[in-house]
Amino acid sequence: MAMRPLSLCCLALLLCAGSAQATRQHLPEQQSFSVINPSEHQTQLQQLQQVAQALQVQVKERPRPAGRASVSLQPMFSSQSGSWPFEPFVNNGLFRAIAGYQAHHPQAVVIRGGSITLAQLQQALNDPRILKPYKDGYLLSYPLMIGSDAGLVVEGTSLYLYSYSGTALINQGWLGLNQSRLESVAGDKPGSTDRAWRPFVVAWAGSHTQVIGSTLERLGYNAHLSRGLSTALSAQQAANSAPATLIVRDSQFNALSSAVELQHTQAQISGSRFEHSQQYGIDVRDSQVNLLDNQVRGIDNNSGIRLRGQTVARVERNLILGAHKAAIEVSDQRGPLLLRANLIGDSRGNGIQLRNLSATAQAPLLIEDNLIGNSQGSAVDGSEVSGIALINNRIGNTPEYAISLRNAAPLTGPLILSGNTLGKAGKAVVRVEGMQQVVLGGNHFEGKPLLQNLLIGDLLSIQGPLLEATQRQGHVVRVSQ
């Protein structure tokens, strides 16, 4: 995206006549700005970057449980002791789908005490109504629960989940897909639920799931914990339970409701493609995640990546295109975040959307080295954000604002805008309202100075002196409200 700095002759039209210095007496009451020592500014940026660099979630592959697992059929209850892994799905259509296939009280395949492959599982069950050879792998027609001491090994094969019969994978232990395929099969029978229903995977706190070189396709429907591959802490599990762990590497997720939905989880997701999800590509709450080198494309209803709650996240070098809402959405967030070197485009809403965030020096929100363009809303749109740093981003081609930050009541800040190339915005380049401290320096503006303001909101009344100090004189300044 070619960006040209604002020429000095055009810039001069915006500057206050004779304003050679940024002095307090030229500014409205309750506003002042001062020049920051360059070394002080660099130290501040380096401290932010050091905190962000430390956001490394280390998730290691966990060995599968030793020994050969036992296999049994167990009744599924909705409100008895030990039934909690099934309870969230009682009203979500699972039991009703099962009832259309099983002529008796709903049963699930349960594996315990070791690991088992699909071939071994088929041999142990010896019932084609439950598991049978199909195409290049196996067709599963019963729900399957992996006990906390057990593992299911899916390696070099395909596992098809029959939609009509209410199939789901429920992991309390270890689930590994390696060079494999996991896909729903609708069959030719009419569904037995009153809405669209598709098989899903859920992994409870304490479990481990790894998806390596594999494909997941047409899984999940829009209901709690049933949207695709989900992890969660059950209300029946202790609050201090070990988090679920998830590794996704070099894999593809196609046409899921939400491809990956994480809660109370440590996850490493890298080198993977998430395409044509209905709700979200990756949806994260109260978790620690690394999202590196992924592609998220074509999200039908919501955002490409959503981050919420007590989440620590490093989102780096991802390509996010064609989200219906925002490419990256951060809401009600209370942990450190690094959004770096992502390529964001063609969002039908905002490029990056920020709502109700509490950032501190110890838990910063750092948006750095991203390319954001061609959104139908603003490139970066924030409200109720206490502090944010945007460094060395290239932002443009938006009908709204390159950067818009609005707080209903003034928040402490700072908002740091440093080294960005900002331009081709339909309204104004930067809008700031309700931030008590703003730091500006080293930014390049491409705008239409005769037709629009570059800085509006709280900065409009001091636009001339600010541009004189930062663009013509090359200073870094701090604006205080």
Side-chain angles (χ1 to χ4, degrees):
M1 183 185 303
M3 296 282 190
R4 300 189 305 273
L6 184 68
S7 66
L8 290 180
C9 61
C10 292
L11 178 62
L13 296 172
L14 289 170
L15 304 182
C16 293
S19 176
Q21 295 182 350
T23 54
R24 186 181 302 269
Q25 66 263 29
H26 291 141
L27 303 179
E29 290 185 26
Q30 301 179 332
Q31 261 188 339
S32 64
F33 75 73
S34 56
V35 174
I36 301 175
N37 184 288
S39 62
E40 176 189 344
H41 180 59
Q42 287 304 313
T43 298
Q44 184 180 29
L45 297 184
Q46 289 169 4
Q47 289 173 344
L48 283 170
Q49 290 165 329
Q50 287 171 0
V51 173
Q53 265 313 118
L55 301 180
Q56 291 283 8
V57 180
Q58 299 296 332
V59 184
K60 296 182 179 179
E61 293 186 33
R62 188 188 301 179
R64 66 189 68 167
R68 171 74 175 267
S70 64
V71 182
S72 62
L73 292 176
Q74 298 289 335
M76 298 174 68
F77 297 104
S78 59
S79 59
Q80 294 191 14
S81 176
S83 67
W84 63 264
F86 306 116
E87 286 179 11
F89 314 113
V90 174
N91 298 316
N92 280 2
L94 174 62
F95 277 46
R96 193 178 306 171
I98 293 170
Y101 184 79
Q102 298 186 25
H104 43 69
H105 183 90
Q107 291 181 326
V109 177
V110 178
I111 60 177
R112 298 192 186 279
S115 297
I116 196 166
T117 66
L118 289 178
Q120 292 168 336
L121 183 61
Q122 190 242 339
Q123 183 180 33
L125 290 167
N126 193 30
D127 186 343
R129 283 184 51 81
I130 303 173
L131 182 67
K132 67 180 181 181
Y134 181 81
K135 293 184 177 179
D136 56 344
Y138 297 88
L139 177 64
L140 178 66
S141 301
Y142 269 40
L144 186 148
M145 188 174 80
I146 304 166
S148 58
D149 58 354
L152 176 64
V153 181
V154 183
E155 193 164 29
T157 188
S158 295
L159 177 56
Y160 298 94
L161 307 179
Y162 192 26
S163 294
Y164 173 79
S165 61
T167 310
L169 298 182
I170 300 171
N171 182 23
Q172 293 180 265
W174 188 97
L175 172 61
L177 278 74
N178 184 21
Q179 307 299 319
S180 294
R181 184 177 191 86
L182 187 64
E183 180 180 344
S184 71
V185 173
D188 56 1
K189 294 185 178 181
S192 55
T193 62
D194 56 1
R195 60 180 173 177
W197 191 95
R198 293 194 306 188
F200 58 89
V201 181
V202 63
W204 293 111
S207 69
H208 177 77
T209 303
Q210 54 192 55
V211 180
I212 298 171
S214 296
T215 297
L216 278 70
E217 188 150 358
R218 294 197 301 272
L219 299 176
Y221 61 105
N222 191 22
H224 181 54
L225 298 180
S226 306
R227 294 184 177 92
L229 171 57
S230 302
T231 62
L233 173 70
S234 169
Q236 304 299 317
Q237 293 181 289
N240 61 354
S241 296
T245 53
L246 173 68
I247 296 173
V248 175
R249 187 167 67 241
D250 302 330
S251 294
Q252 295 190 42
F253 291 68
N254 302 321
L256 281 74
S257 180
S258 285
V260 176
E261 190 175 61
L262 306 178
Q263 186 244 333
H264 194 72
T265 300
Q266 292 181 341
Q268 172 93 20
I269 300 176
S270 61
S272 297
R273 294 172 67 101
F274 302 85
E275 297 184 335
H276 306 299
S277 296
Q278 293 176 8
Q279 304 303 326
Y280 296 91
I282 302 172
D283 191 5
V284 182
R285 179 164 62 92
D286 300 331
S287 296
Q288 297 177 321
V289 297
N290 278 347
L291 308 179
L292 310 175
D293 302 301
N294 303 290
Q295 295 186 27
V296 182
R297 297 172 180 260
I299 307 304
D300 292 342
N301 297 327
N302 287 298
S303 299
I305 296 172
R306 179 168 68 164
L307 308 170
R308 296 179 291 161
Q310 297 286 344
T311 287
V312 177
R314 184 186 187 99
V315 182
E316 192 165 7
R317 300 187 305 274
N318 300 282
L319 172 66
I320 311 170
L321 298 175
H324 180 80
K325 190 176 180 182
I328 300 175
E329 174 186 349
V330 187
S331 301
D332 302 301
Q333 165 65 23
R334 297 296 180 271
L337 298 179
L338 170 63
L339 311 180
R340 174 184 284 159
N342 300 288
L343 303 179
I344 293 171
D346 197 26
S347 298
R348 294 189 289 282
N350 301 307
I352 297 176
Q353 179 172 297
L354 311 170
R355 298 289 184 267
N356 191 25
L357 311 185
S358 178
T360 65
Q362 292 71 39
L365 169 57
L366 176 57
I367 300 175
E368 182 179 22
D369 290 328
N370 301 282
L371 174 61
I372 310 172
N374 298 308
S375 58
Q376 293 183 20
S378 294
V380 178
D381 185 273
S383 63
E384 314 316 317
V385 177
S386 64
I388 178 176
L390 291 110
I391 302 172
N392 298 335
N393 300 283
R394 288 179 292 159
I395 298 173
N397 293 335
T398 171
E400 296 287 324
Y401 303 91
I403 298 169
S404 173
L405 182 60
R406 296 161 296 154
N407 297 326
L411 297 176
T412 56
L415 163 63
I416 300 174
L417 300 179
S418 179
N420 301 286
T421 298
L422 307 169
K424 291 188 178 179
K427 293 186 176 178
V429 179
V430 177
R431 173 173 67 173
V432 180
E433 298 173 5
M435 186 65 80
Q436 291 179 347
Q437 189 180 132
V438 179
V439 176
L440 293 166
N443 300 293
H444 299 286
F445 293 94
E446 182 182 272
K448 301 173 183 176
L450 292 176
L451 304 175
Q452 69 178 158
N453 289 297
L454 300 183
L455 309 176
I456 68 167
D458 295 343
L459 302 180
L460 176 60
S461 60
I462 56 173
Q463 177 176 231
L466 274 179
L467 293 173
E468 167 71 22
T470 60
Q471 299 297 113
R472 177 171 286 176
Q473 298 178 6
H475 293 312
V476 179
V477 301
R478 179 186 293 114
V479 181
S480 300
Q481 298 278 4

Coordinates of all heavy atoms in Angstrom, one line a residue, residues 226-287:
S226 N -20.6 -25.9 21.2 CA -20.9 -26.9 20.1 C -20.6 -26.3 18.7 O -21.1 -26.8 17.7 CB -22.4 -27.3 20.1 OG -22.8 -27.7 21.4
R227 N -19.7 -25.3 18.7 CA -19.6 -24.5 17.4 C -18.4 -25.1 16.6 O -18.2 -24.6 15.5 CB -19.3 -23.0 17.7 CG -20.5 -22.4 18.4 CD -20.3 -20.9 18.6 NE -21.5 -20.3 19.1 CZ -21.8 -20.1 20.4 NH1 -20.9 -20.5 21.3 NH2 -22.9 -19.6 20.8
G228 N -17.7 -26.0 17.0 CA -16.6 -26.6 16.2 C -15.7 -27.3 17.1 O -16.0 -28.4 17.7
L229 N -14.5 -26.8 17.3 CA -13.5 -27.3 18.3 C -13.5 -26.3 19.5 O -13.0 -25.2 19.3 CB -12.1 -27.4 17.7 CG -10.9 -27.7 18.6 CD1 -11.2 -29.0 19.4 CD2 -9.6 -27.8 17.9
S230 N -14.0 -26.7 20.6 CA -14.2 -25.9 21.8 C -13.4 -26.4 23.0 O -13.3 -27.7 23.1 CB -15.7 -25.7 22.2 OG -16.4 -25.2 21.1
T231 N -12.9 -25.5 23.8 CA -12.3 -25.9 25.1 C -13.0 -25.1 26.2 O -13.5 -24.0 25.9 CB -10.8 -25.7 25.1 OG1 -10.6 -24.3 25.0 CG2 -10.1 -26.4 24.1
A232 N -13.1 -25.7 27.4 CA -13.9 -25.0 28.4 C -13.6 -25.5 29.8 O -13.2 -26.7 29.9 CB -15.4 -25.0 28.1
L233 N -13.9 -24.7 30.8 CA -13.9 -25.1 32.2 C -15.4 -25.3 32.6 O -16.2 -24.4 32.5 CB -13.3 -24.1 33.1 CG -13.3 -24.3 34.6 CD1 -12.5 -25.4 35.0 CD2 -12.9 -23.0 35.3
S234 N -15.7 -26.5 33.0 CA -17.1 -26.8 33.4 C -17.4 -26.2 34.7 O -16.5 -26.1 35.6 CB -17.4 -28.3 33.4 OG -18.6 -28.6 34.1
A235 N -18.7 -25.8 35.0 CA -19.1 -25.3 36.3 C -18.9 -26.4 37.3 O -18.9 -26.1 38.5 CB -20.5 -24.8 36.2
Q236 N -18.9 -27.6 36.9 CA -18.7 -28.8 37.8 C -17.2 -29.1 38.1 O -16.9 -29.9 38.9 CB -19.3 -30.0 37.2 CG -20.8 -29.9 36.9 CD -21.6 -29.5 38.2 OE1 -21.4 -30.1 39.2 NE2 -22.5 -28.5 38.0
Q237 N -16.3 -28.4 37.4 CA -14.9 -28.5 37.7 C -14.4 -27.4 38.6 O -14.9 -26.3 38.6 CB -14.1 -28.5 36.4 CG -14.3 -29.7 35.5 CD -13.5 -29.6 34.2 OE1 -13.8 -28.7 33.3 NE2 -12.5 -30.4 34.1
A238 N -13.4 -27.7 39.4 CA -12.9 -26.7 40.3 C -12.3 -25.5 39.6 O -11.7 -25.7 38.5 CB -11.8 -27.3 41.2
A239 N -12.5 -24.3 40.1 CA -12.0 -23.1 39.4 C -10.5 -23.1 39.2 O -10.0 -22.5 38.2 CB -12.4 -21.9 40.2
N240 N -9.7 -23.8 40.1 CA -8.3 -23.9 39.9 C -7.9 -25.1 39.1 O -6.7 -25.5 39.2 CB -7.6 -23.9 41.3 CG -8.0 -25.1 42.1 OD1 -8.9 -25.9 41.8 ND2 -7.4 -25.2 43.3
S241 N -8.8 -25.7 38.4 CA -8.4 -26.9 37.5 C -7.3 -26.5 36.5 O -7.3 -25.3 36.1 CB -9.6 -27.4 36.8 OG -10.6 -27.9 37.7
A242 N -6.5 -27.4 36.2 CA -5.5 -27.1 35.2 C -6.2 -26.7 33.9 O -7.2 -27.3 33.5 CB -4.6 -28.3 34.9
P243 N -5.6 -25.7 33.1 CA -6.3 -25.4 31.9 C -6.2 -26.5 30.9 O -5.4 -27.4 30.9 CB -5.5 -24.2 31.4 CG -4.2 -24.3 32.1 CD -4.4 -25.0 33.4
A244 N -7.2 -26.5 29.9 CA -7.0 -27.3 28.8 C -5.8 -26.8 28.0 O -5.5 -25.6 28.0 CB -8.3 -27.3 27.9
T245 N -5.1 -27.7 27.3 CA -4.0 -27.3 26.4 C -4.4 -27.7 25.0 O -5.0 -28.8 24.7 CB -2.7 -27.9 26.8 OG1 -2.8 -29.4 26.9 CG2 -2.2 -27.4 28.1
L246 N -4.0 -26.9 24.0 CA -4.3 -27.1 22.6 C -3.1 -26.7 21.8 O -2.6 -25.6 21.9 CB -5.6 -26.3 22.2 CG -5.9 -26.3 20.7 CD1 -6.4 -27.7 20.3 CD2 -7.0 -25.2 20.4
I247 N -2.8 -27.6 20.8 CA -1.8 -27.3 19.8 C -2.4 -27.5 18.5 O -3.0 -28.6 18.2 CB -0.5 -28.2 20.0 CG1 0.2 -27.9 21.3 CG2 0.4 -28.0 18.8 CD1 1.3 -28.9 21.6
V248 N -2.4 -26.5 17.6 CA -2.9 -26.6 16.2 C -1.7 -26.1 15.4 O -1.2 -25.0 15.5 CB -4.2 -25.8 16.0 CG1 -4.5 -25.8 14.5 CG2 -5.3 -26.2 16.8
R249 N -1.3 -27.0 14.5 CA -0.2 -26.7 13.6 C -0.4 -27.2 12.2 O -0.7 -28.4 12.0 CB 1.1 -27.2 14.2 CG 2.4 -26.8 13.5 CD 3.6 -27.2 14.3 NE 3.9 -28.6 14.5 CZ 3.9 -29.3 15.6 NH1 3.7 -28.6 16.8 NH2 4.1 -30.6 15.6
D250 N -0.2 -26.3 11.2 CA -0.2 -26.7 9.8 C -1.5 -27.5 9.5 O -1.5 -28.5 8.8 CB 1.0 -27.6 9.5 CG 2.3 -26.9 9.8 OD1 2.4 -25.7 9.7 OD2 3.3 -27.6 10.1
S251 N -2.6 -26.9 9.9 CA -3.9 -27.6 9.7 C -4.9 -26.7 9.0 O -4.6 -25.5 8.9 CB -4.4 -28.1 11.0 OG -3.6 -29.1 11.5
Q252 N -6.0 -27.2 8.6 CA -7.1 -26.5 7.9 C -8.4 -26.7 8.6 O -8.7 -27.8 8.9 CB -7.2 -26.9 6.4 CG -5.9 -26.5 5.6 CD -6.2 -26.7 4.1 OE1 -7.2 -26.4 3.6 NE2 -5.2 -27.3 3.4
F253 N -9.1 -25.6 8.8 CA -10.5 -25.6 9.3 C -11.4 -25.0 8.3 O -11.3 -23.8 8.0 CB -10.5 -24.9 10.7 CG -9.7 -25.5 11.8 CD1 -8.4 -25.6 11.8 CD2 -10.4 -26.0 12.9 CE1 -7.7 -26.2 12.8 CE2 -9.7 -26.6 13.9 CZ -8.3 -26.7 13.9
N254 N -12.3 -25.8 7.8 CA -13.2 -25.3 6.7 C -14.7 -25.4 7.1 O -15.1 -26.5 7.6 CB -13.0 -26.1 5.4 CG -11.6 -26.1 4.9 OD1 -10.9 -25.0 5.0 ND2 -11.0 -27.2 4.5
A255 N -15.4 -24.3 7.0 CA -16.9 -24.3 7.1 C -17.3 -24.9 8.5 O -18.2 -25.7 8.6 CB -17.5 -25.2 6.0
L256 N -16.7 -24.4 9.6 CA -17.2 -24.7 10.9 C -18.0 -23.5 11.4 O -18.0 -22.4 10.8 CB -16.0 -24.9 11.9 CG -15.3 -26.3 11.8 CD1 -14.5 -26.4 10.6 CD2 -14.5 -26.5 13.1
S257 N -18.8 -23.7 12.4 CA -19.6 -22.6 13.0 C -18.7 -21.6 13.5 O -18.6 -20.4 13.1 CB -20.6 -23.1 14.1 OG -21.3 -22.0 14.6
S258 N -17.9 -21.9 14.6 CA -16.7 -21.2 15.0 C -15.6 -22.2 15.0 O -15.7 -23.2 15.6 CB -16.8 -20.5 16.3 OG -17.7 -19.4 16.3
A259 N -14.5 -21.9 14.2 CA -13.5 -22.9 14.1 C -12.9 -23.4 15.4 O -12.9 -24.6 15.7 CB -12.4 -22.4 13.1
V260 N -12.4 -22.4 16.2 CA -11.8 -22.7 17.5 C -12.4 -21.8 18.5 O -12.3 -20.5 18.3 CB -10.3 -22.6 17.4 CG1 -9.7 -22.8 18.8 CG2 -9.7 -23.6 16.4
E261 N -12.9 -22.3 19.6 CA -13.5 -21.5 20.6 C -12.8 -21.9 21.9 O -13.0 -23.1 22.4 CB -15.0 -21.8 20.7 CG -15.8 -20.8 21.6 CD -17.3 -21.1 21.5 OE1 -17.7 -22.2 21.7 OE2 -18.0 -20.2 21.1
L262 N -12.1 -21.0 22.6 CA -11.2 -21.3 23.7 C -11.6 -20.6 25.0 O -11.9 -19.4 24.9 CB -9.8 -20.9 23.4 CG -9.1 -21.5 22.1 CD1 -7.7 -21.0 22.0 CD2 -9.2 -23.0 22.1
Q263 N -11.7 -21.3 26.1 CA -11.9 -20.8 27.4 C -11.1 -21.6 28.4 O -11.1 -22.8 28.4 CB -13.4 -20.8 27.7 CG -13.7 -20.1 29.0 CD -14.3 -21.0 30.1 OE1 -14.8 -22.0 29.8 NE2 -14.1 -20.6 31.3
H264 N -10.4 -20.9 29.3 CA -9.6 -21.5 30.3 C -8.6 -22.5 29.7 O -8.5 -23.7 30.0 CB -10.5 -22.3 31.3 CG -9.7 -22.7 32.6 ND1 -9.4 -21.8 33.6 CD2 -9.3 -23.9 33.0 CE1 -8.8 -22.4 34.5 NE2 -8.7 -23.7 34.2
T265 N -7.8 -21.9 28.7 CA -6.9 -22.8 27.9 C -5.6 -22.1 27.7 O -5.5 -20.9 27.6 CB -7.6 -23.0 26.5 OG1 -8.9 -23.6 26.7 CG2 -6.8 -23.8 25.6
Q266 N -4.6 -23.0 27.5 CA -3.3 -22.5 27.0 C -3.2 -23.1 25.6 O -3.3 -24.3 25.4 CB -2.1 -23.0 27.8 CG -2.1 -22.4 29.2 CD -0.9 -22.9 30.1 OE1 -0.4 -23.9 29.8 NE2 -0.6 -22.1 31.1
A267 N -3.0 -22.2 24.6 CA -3.0 -22.7 23.2 C -1.9 -22.1 22.3 O -1.5 -20.9 22.5 CB -4.4 -22.4 22.6
Q268 N -1.4 -22.9 21.4 CA -0.5 -22.5 20.4 C -1.1 -22.9 19.1 O -1.3 -24.1 18.8 CB 0.9 -23.2 20.6 CG 1.9 -23.0 19.4 CD 2.8 -21.8 19.7 OE1 3.0 -21.4 20.8 NE2 3.4 -21.3 18.7
I269 N -1.4 -21.9 18.3 CA -2.1 -22.1 17.0 C -1.2 -21.4 15.9 O -1.0 -20.2 15.9 CB -3.5 -21.5 16.9 CG1 -4.4 -22.2 18.0 CG2 -4.1 -21.7 15.6 CD1 -5.8 -21.7 18.1
S270 N -0.6 -22.2 15.0 CA 0.3 -21.7 14.1 C 0.2 -22.3 12.7 O -0.2 -23.5 12.6 CB 1.8 -21.9 14.6 OG 2.1 -23.2 14.8
G271 N 0.5 -21.6 11.7 CA 0.6 -22.1 10.3 C -0.6 -22.7 9.8 O -0.5 -23.6 9.0
S272 N -1.8 -22.3 10.2 CA -3.0 -23.0 9.9 C -4.0 -22.0 9.2 O -3.8 -20.8 9.2 CB -3.7 -23.5 11.1 OG -2.8 -24.5 11.7
R273 N -5.0 -22.6 8.5 CA -5.9 -21.8 7.7 C -7.3 -22.0 8.3 O -7.7 -23.2 8.5 CB -5.9 -22.3 6.2 CG -4.6 -21.9 5.5 CD -4.6 -22.6 4.1 NE -5.6 -21.9 3.3 CZ -5.4 -21.0 2.3 NH1 -4.1 -20.6 2.2 NH2 -6.3 -20.5 1.6
F274 N -8.1 -20.9 8.4 CA -9.4 -21.0 9.0 C -10.3 -20.2 7.9 O -10.2 -19.0 7.8 CB -9.5 -20.3 10.3 CG -8.6 -20.9 11.4 CD1 -7.2 -20.5 11.4 CD2 -9.0 -21.8 12.2 CE1 -6.4 -21.1 12.3 CE2 -8.2 -22.4 13.2 CZ -6.9 -22.0 13.2
E275 N -11.2 -21.0 7.3 CA -11.9 -20.4 6.2 C -13.4 -20.7 6.3 O -13.8 -21.8 6.7 CB -11.4 -21.0 4.8 CG -9.9 -20.6 4.6 CD -9.5 -21.1 3.2 OE1 -10.0 -22.0 2.7 OE2 -8.5 -20.5 2.7
H276 N -14.2 -19.7 6.0 CA -15.7 -19.8 5.8 C -16.3 -20.2 7.1 O -17.3 -21.0 7.1 CB -16.0 -20.7 4.7 CG -15.4 -20.4 3.4 ND1 -15.6 -19.1 2.8 CD2 -14.5 -21.0 2.6 CE1 -14.9 -19.1 1.7 NE2 -14.2 -20.2 1.6
S277 N -15.9 -19.7 8.3 CA -16.6 -19.9 9.5 C -17.8 -19.1 9.6 O -17.9 -18.0 9.0 CB -15.7 -19.6 10.7 OG -14.6 -20.4 10.8
Q278 N -18.9 -19.5 10.3 CA -20.1 -18.8 10.4 C -20.0 -17.7 11.4 O -20.4 -16.5 11.1 CB -21.3 -19.7 10.7 CG -21.6 -20.7 9.7 CD -22.7 -21.6 10.1 OE1 -23.3 -21.5 11.2 NE2 -23.0 -22.7 9.3
Q279 N -19.5 -17.9 12.6 CA -19.5 -16.9 13.7 C -18.1 -16.3 13.8 O -17.9 -15.1 13.6 CB -19.9 -17.6 15.0 CG -21.3 -18.3 14.9 CD -22.4 -17.3 14.5 OE1 -22.4 -16.2 14.8 NE2 -23.4 -17.9 13.7
Y280 N -17.1 -17.0 14.2 CA -15.7 -16.5 14.4 C -14.7 -17.5 13.9 O -15.0 -18.7 13.8 CB -15.4 -16.3 15.9 CG -16.3 -15.3 16.6 CD1 -17.5 -15.6 17.2 CD2 -15.9 -13.9 16.6 CE1 -18.3 -14.6 17.8 CE2 -16.7 -12.9 17.2 CZ -17.9 -13.3 17.8 OH -18.7 -12.4 18.3
G281 N -13.6 -17.0 13.5 CA -12.5 -17.9 13.1 C -11.9 -18.5 14.4 O -11.9 -19.7 14.6
I282 N -11.4 -17.6 15.3 CA -10.8 -18.0 16.5 C -11.4 -17.1 17.6 O -11.3 -15.9 17.5 CB -9.2 -17.9 16.5 CG1 -8.6 -18.7 15.4 CG2 -8.6 -18.3 17.9 CD1 -7.2 -18.5 15.2
D283 N -12.0 -17.7 18.6 CA -12.7 -17.0 19.7 C -12.1 -17.4 21.0 O -12.1 -18.5 21.4 CB -14.2 -17.3 19.6 CG -15.0 -16.4 20.5 OD1 -14.5 -15.4 21.1 OD2 -16.3 -16.7 20.6
V284 N -11.5 -16.4 21.7 CA -10.7 -16.7 22.9 C -11.2 -15.9 24.1 O -11.4 -14.7 24.0 CB -9.2 -16.3 22.7 CG1 -8.3 -16.6 23.9 CG2 -8.6 -17.0 21.4
R285 N -11.4 -16.6 25.2 CA -11.8 -15.9 26.5 C -11.0 -16.6 27.6 O -10.9 -17.8 27.8 CB -13.3 -16.1 26.7 CG -13.8 -15.5 28.0 CD -15.3 -15.3 27.9 NE -16.0 -16.6 27.8 CZ -16.4 -17.3 28.9 NH1 -16.2 -16.9 30.1 NH2 -17.1 -18.4 28.7
D286 N -10.5 -15.7 28.5 CA -9.8 -16.1 29.8 C -8.8 -17.2 29.5 O -8.7 -18.3 30.1 CB -10.8 -16.7 30.8 CG -11.9 -15.6 31.1 OD1 -11.5 -14.4 31.1 OD2 -13.0 -16.0 31.4
S287 N -7.9 -17.0 28.5 CA -6.9 -18.0 28.1 C -5.6 -17.3 27.8 O -5.4 -16.1 27.8 CB -7.4 -18.7 26.9 OG -8.6 -19.4 27.2

